[in-house]
Amino acid sequence: MINISKIIVIANQKGGVGKTTTAINLAASLAAAEKKVLLVDNDPQANSTSGVGSIGPKGKTTYEVIIGEIQTEEAIQPTQMPFLSLIPSNINLVGAEVELIDRTGREQLLSIALNRVRAKFDFIIIDCPPSLGFLTLNALTAADSVLIPVQCEYFALEGLGQLFNTINRVKRELNPKLDIEGVLLTMYDSRLKLSNQIVDEVKKYFGKKVFNTIIARNIRLSEAPSFGKPIILYDAICAGSRHYMELAKEILHNNKFFTYQPLIQRQIHES
Protein backbone atom coordinates (compact mmCIF):
# COMPACT_ATOMS: atom_id res chain seq x y z
CA MET A 1 0.00 0.00 0.00
CA ILE A 2 1.36 3.46 -0.93
CA ASN A 3 1.31 5.99 1.87
CA ILE A 4 -0.56 9.12 0.87
CA SER A 5 0.63 11.26 3.77
CA LYS A 6 3.57 11.58 6.11
CA ILE A 7 3.37 11.22 9.88
CA ILE A 8 6.15 13.06 11.72
CA VAL A 9 6.54 12.78 15.49
CA ILE A 10 8.38 15.52 17.40
CA ALA A 11 10.26 13.75 20.18
CA ASN A 12 12.93 14.28 22.81
CA GLN A 13 12.58 13.08 26.39
CA LYS A 14 14.22 16.27 27.66
CA GLY A 15 11.88 19.11 28.52
CA GLY A 16 12.35 22.66 27.32
CA VAL A 17 13.99 21.86 23.98
CA GLY A 18 11.26 23.34 21.78
CA LYS A 19 9.14 20.25 20.99
CA THR A 20 5.75 21.93 21.29
CA THR A 21 6.93 25.17 19.70
CA THR A 22 8.20 23.12 16.77
CA ALA A 23 5.05 20.98 16.52
CA ILE A 24 2.78 24.03 16.44
CA ASN A 25 4.83 26.16 14.09
CA LEU A 26 5.96 23.43 11.71
CA ALA A 27 2.33 22.33 11.35
CA ALA A 28 1.22 25.94 10.79
CA SER A 29 4.00 26.61 8.29
CA LEU A 30 3.14 23.50 6.27
CA ALA A 31 -0.50 24.62 6.36
CA ALA A 32 0.56 28.06 5.13
CA ALA A 33 2.09 26.24 2.15
CA GLU A 34 -1.45 24.89 1.53
CA LYS A 35 -0.68 21.35 2.65
CA LYS A 36 -3.47 19.65 4.56
CA VAL A 37 -2.05 19.20 8.05
CA LEU A 38 -3.32 17.47 11.20
CA LEU A 39 -1.65 18.45 14.47
CA VAL A 40 -2.06 15.72 17.10
CA ASP A 41 -1.55 16.83 20.70
CA ASN A 42 -0.28 13.68 22.40
CA ASP A 43 0.85 15.44 25.60
CA PRO A 44 -1.35 15.67 28.73
CA GLN A 45 -0.06 19.21 29.27
CA ALA A 46 -2.04 20.16 26.13
CA ASN A 47 0.27 23.03 25.19
CA SER A 48 -0.12 22.40 21.46
CA THR A 49 -3.88 22.60 21.95
CA SER A 50 -3.77 25.98 23.70
CA GLY A 51 -0.98 27.14 21.40
CA VAL A 52 -3.30 27.07 18.39
CA GLY A 53 -6.11 28.74 20.30
CA SER A 54 -8.18 25.72 21.35
CA ILE A 55 -9.26 24.53 24.79
CA GLY A 56 -10.29 21.13 23.46
CA PRO A 57 -13.93 20.07 23.40
CA LYS A 58 -14.91 17.91 26.37
CA GLY A 59 -14.90 14.23 25.53
CA LYS A 60 -13.31 14.65 22.10
CA THR A 61 -9.55 14.54 22.62
CA THR A 62 -6.55 12.28 22.04
CA TYR A 63 -7.45 10.47 25.25
CA GLU A 64 -10.88 9.33 24.02
CA VAL A 65 -9.36 8.37 20.65
CA ILE A 66 -6.61 6.21 22.19
CA ILE A 67 -8.88 4.39 24.64
CA GLY A 68 -11.36 3.76 21.81
CA GLU A 69 -14.25 5.73 23.26
CA ILE A 70 -14.74 7.75 20.05
CA GLN A 71 -13.73 7.48 16.39
CA THR A 72 -10.71 9.51 15.27
CA GLU A 73 -12.83 11.70 12.98
CA GLU A 74 -14.94 12.86 15.93
CA ALA A 75 -11.93 14.44 17.65
CA ILE A 76 -10.64 16.42 14.65
CA GLN A 77 -11.44 20.12 14.87
CA PRO A 78 -10.60 23.15 12.71
CA THR A 79 -8.17 25.88 13.78
CA GLN A 80 -7.65 29.52 12.83
CA MET A 81 -5.78 28.37 9.72
CA PRO A 82 -7.74 26.93 6.75
CA PHE A 83 -5.42 23.97 6.08
CA LEU A 84 -4.61 23.13 9.72
CA SER A 85 -6.73 20.75 11.82
CA LEU A 86 -6.19 19.60 15.40
CA ILE A 87 -6.82 16.61 17.63
CA PRO A 88 -6.67 18.33 21.04
CA SER A 89 -5.48 16.97 24.36
CA ASN A 90 -6.23 17.50 28.02
CA ILE A 91 -5.01 16.26 31.40
CA ASN A 92 -7.11 13.07 31.16
CA LEU A 93 -4.51 11.69 28.77
CA VAL A 94 -2.18 11.10 31.71
CA GLY A 95 -4.38 8.19 32.80
CA ALA A 96 -4.31 6.33 29.49
CA GLU A 97 -1.21 4.28 30.31
CA VAL A 98 -2.70 2.90 33.52
CA GLU A 99 -6.13 2.26 31.99
CA LEU A 100 -4.66 0.36 29.03
CA ILE A 101 -1.99 -1.60 30.90
CA ASP A 102 -3.60 -4.96 30.07
CA ARG A 103 -4.71 -4.06 26.52
CA THR A 104 -3.20 -6.29 23.85
CA GLY A 105 -1.27 -4.26 21.26
CA ARG A 106 -1.54 -1.10 23.33
CA GLU A 107 1.58 0.36 21.69
CA GLN A 108 -0.27 0.49 18.35
CA LEU A 109 -3.48 2.23 19.41
CA LEU A 110 -2.51 5.66 18.06
CA SER A 111 -1.24 4.11 14.83
CA ILE A 112 -4.57 2.35 14.26
CA ALA A 113 -6.47 5.56 15.04
CA LEU A 114 -4.43 7.75 12.69
CA ASN A 115 -4.51 5.23 9.86
CA ARG A 116 -8.26 5.81 9.73
CA VAL A 117 -7.79 9.46 8.75
CA ARG A 118 -4.33 9.81 7.20
CA ALA A 119 -5.71 9.70 3.65
CA LYS A 120 -7.31 13.10 4.33
CA PHE A 121 -4.02 14.84 5.11
CA ASP A 122 -0.64 15.54 3.54
CA PHE A 123 1.14 15.71 6.90
CA ILE A 124 0.29 14.60 10.42
CA ILE A 125 2.46 16.19 13.11
CA ILE A 126 2.47 14.58 16.58
CA ASP A 127 3.56 16.48 19.69
CA CYS A 128 4.83 14.25 22.52
CA PRO A 129 5.42 14.62 26.26
CA PRO A 130 9.00 14.94 27.59
CA SER A 131 9.36 11.24 28.34
CA LEU A 132 9.87 7.90 26.60
CA GLY A 133 6.77 6.31 28.10
CA PHE A 134 3.54 4.88 26.73
CA LEU A 135 2.41 8.01 24.84
CA THR A 136 5.73 8.60 23.07
CA LEU A 137 5.99 4.89 22.26
CA ASN A 138 2.53 5.03 20.64
CA ALA A 139 3.58 8.07 18.60
CA LEU A 140 6.80 6.40 17.42
CA THR A 141 4.85 3.30 16.40
CA ALA A 142 2.43 5.47 14.39
CA ALA A 143 5.06 7.65 12.71
CA ASP A 144 6.97 7.49 9.46
CA SER A 145 9.76 9.60 10.91
CA VAL A 146 11.05 11.40 14.00
CA LEU A 147 12.08 15.04 14.17
CA ILE A 148 14.38 15.63 17.16
CA PRO A 149 14.73 19.19 18.53
CA VAL A 150 18.09 19.81 20.24
CA GLN A 151 18.63 23.05 22.11
CA CYS A 152 21.86 25.00 21.63
CA GLU A 153 22.72 24.83 25.32
CA TYR A 154 25.00 22.92 27.67
CA PHE A 155 24.23 19.19 27.87
CA ALA A 156 22.46 19.42 24.50
CA LEU A 157 23.32 15.82 23.59
CA GLU A 158 22.59 14.43 27.05
CA GLY A 159 19.99 11.68 26.94
CA LEU A 160 19.90 11.40 23.15
CA GLY A 161 21.50 7.95 23.36
CA GLN A 162 18.46 6.73 25.28
CA LEU A 163 16.14 8.28 22.69
CA PHE A 164 17.96 6.56 19.83
CA ASN A 165 17.87 3.24 21.71
CA THR A 166 14.09 3.63 21.99
CA ILE A 167 13.75 4.56 18.31
CA ASN A 168 15.83 1.53 17.29
CA ARG A 169 13.78 -0.75 19.54
CA VAL A 170 10.51 0.55 18.06
CA LYS A 171 11.90 0.13 14.56
CA ARG A 172 12.99 -3.43 15.31
CA GLU A 173 9.87 -4.60 17.16
CA LEU A 174 6.93 -2.40 16.18
CA ASN A 175 7.52 -0.09 13.23
CA PRO A 176 10.15 -1.11 10.64
CA LYS A 177 9.47 1.96 8.47
CA LEU A 178 10.44 4.45 11.21
CA ASP A 179 13.20 6.82 10.12
CA ILE A 180 14.93 9.96 11.39
CA GLU A 181 13.40 13.01 9.69
CA GLY A 182 16.17 15.20 11.05
CA VAL A 183 17.74 16.91 14.03
CA LEU A 184 16.62 20.50 14.55
CA LEU A 185 18.81 22.96 16.42
CA THR A 186 16.71 25.30 18.57
CA MET A 187 17.20 28.26 20.93
CA TYR A 188 20.27 29.40 19.02
CA ASP A 189 21.90 32.67 20.08
CA SER A 190 24.59 33.84 17.67
CA ARG A 191 26.08 36.10 20.36
CA LEU A 192 27.05 33.12 22.50
CA LYS A 193 30.19 31.16 21.81
CA LEU A 194 28.52 28.14 23.42
CA SER A 195 25.70 28.15 20.86
CA ASN A 196 28.18 27.98 18.00
CA GLN A 197 30.11 25.21 19.74
CA ILE A 198 26.92 23.18 20.17
CA VAL A 199 26.04 23.65 16.48
CA ASP A 200 29.45 22.28 15.50
CA GLU A 201 29.18 19.41 17.96
CA VAL A 202 25.69 18.36 16.84
CA LYS A 203 26.65 18.54 13.15
CA LYS A 204 29.75 16.47 13.85
CA TYR A 205 27.66 13.88 15.71
CA PHE A 206 24.64 13.65 13.37
CA GLY A 207 26.11 14.75 10.03
CA LYS A 208 23.61 15.10 7.20
CA LYS A 209 20.68 14.39 9.54
CA VAL A 210 20.92 17.95 10.91
CA PHE A 211 18.54 20.40 9.24
CA ASN A 212 20.13 23.42 7.57
CA THR A 213 17.48 25.54 9.29
CA ILE A 214 18.35 26.67 12.81
CA ILE A 215 15.69 28.11 15.13
CA ALA A 216 17.08 31.19 16.88
CA ARG A 217 15.87 32.54 20.21
CA ASN A 218 13.10 35.02 19.46
CA ILE A 219 10.89 37.00 21.85
CA ARG A 220 7.90 36.99 19.48
CA LEU A 221 8.16 33.19 19.20
CA SER A 222 7.99 32.96 23.00
CA GLU A 223 5.01 35.33 23.20
CA ALA A 224 2.82 33.68 20.54
CA PRO A 225 1.52 30.73 22.65
CA SER A 226 0.06 33.05 25.27
CA PHE A 227 -2.11 34.54 22.51
CA GLY A 228 -3.16 31.09 21.25
CA LYS A 229 -1.55 31.63 17.87
CA PRO A 230 1.18 30.02 15.79
CA ILE A 231 3.96 32.50 15.13
CA ILE A 232 2.91 32.96 11.50
CA LEU A 233 -0.42 34.42 12.70
CA TYR A 234 1.07 36.35 15.61
CA ASP A 235 3.97 38.00 13.75
CA ALA A 236 4.49 36.77 10.21
CA ILE A 237 7.63 38.84 9.59
CA CYS A 238 9.64 38.07 12.73
CA ALA A 239 12.72 35.83 12.69
CA GLY A 240 10.86 32.95 14.39
CA SER A 241 8.20 32.88 11.69
CA ARG A 242 10.80 33.02 8.95
CA HIS A 243 12.82 30.18 10.48
CA TYR A 244 9.84 27.83 10.77
CA MET A 245 8.80 28.61 7.21
CA GLU A 246 12.34 27.70 6.16
CA LEU A 247 12.06 24.44 8.10
CA ALA A 248 8.76 23.63 6.38
CA LYS A 249 10.32 24.36 3.00
CA GLU A 250 13.25 22.08 3.82
CA ILE A 251 10.92 19.26 4.86
CA LEU A 252 8.84 19.68 1.70
CA HIS A 253 12.00 19.54 -0.38
CA ASN A 254 13.16 16.40 1.43
CA ASN A 255 9.77 14.72 0.94
CA LYS A 256 9.02 15.38 -2.69
CA PHE A 257 6.66 12.41 -2.99
CA PHE A 258 4.53 13.72 -0.13
CA THR A 259 4.71 17.25 -1.52
CA TYR A 260 3.36 16.51 -4.97
CA GLN A 261 1.50 13.17 -4.83
CA PRO A 262 -1.01 13.20 -1.95
CA LEU A 263 -3.83 15.08 -3.71
CA ILE A 264 -3.73 12.75 -6.72
CA GLN A 265 -3.57 9.66 -4.52
CA ARG A 266 -6.33 11.00 -2.28
CA GLN A 267 -8.64 11.50 -5.29
CA ILE A 268 -7.98 7.92 -6.36
CA HIS A 269 -8.58 6.71 -2.80
CA GLU A 270 -11.87 8.59 -2.49
CA SER A 271 -13.22 7.77 -5.97
Side-chain angles (χ1 to χ4, degrees), residues 100-118:
L100 298 168
I101 194 165
D102 295 322
R103 179 79 68 87
T104 301
R106 68 191 197 121
E107 298 89 354
Q108 298 174 324
L109 295 174
L110 186 60
S111 177
I112 293 167
L114 293 180
N115 278 337
R116 294 192 185 111
V117 299
R118 69 179 295 167

Side-chain angles (χ1 to χ4, degrees), residues 163-179:
L163 174 60
F164 275 90
N165 286 339
T166 300
I167 291 170
N168 288 331
R169 180 165 63 89
V170 169
K171 186 168 184 174
R172 184 172 62 251
E173 299 175 6
L174 296 165
N175 183 7
K177 72 179 185 298
L178 186 63
D179 197 7

Side-chain angles (χ1 to χ4, degrees), residues 96-147:
E97 182 168 10
V98 175
E99 293 177 41
L100 298 168
I101 194 165
D102 295 322
R103 179 79 68 87
T104 301
R106 68 191 197 121
E107 298 89 354
Q108 298 174 324
L109 295 174
L110 186 60
S111 177
I112 293 167
L114 293 180
N115 278 337
R116 294 192 185 111
V117 299
R118 69 179 295 167
K120 299 178 181 179
F121 299 96
D122 297 309
F123 288 92
I124 298 176
I125 307 296
I126 309 175
D127 186 23
C128 287
S131 72
L132 294 178
F134 167 76
L135 295 173
T136 299
L137 193 60
N138 255 264
L140 291 171
T141 304
D144 297 302
S145 63
V146 190
L147 190 155

Side-chain angles (χ1 to χ4, degrees), residues 26 32 40 52 73 77 95 138 143 149 161 174 221 235 247 267:
L26 172 58
V40 179
V52 294
E73 294 88 343
Q77 64 177 70
N138 255 264
L174 296 165
L221 197 56
D235 187 345
L247 175 64
Q267 287 169 342

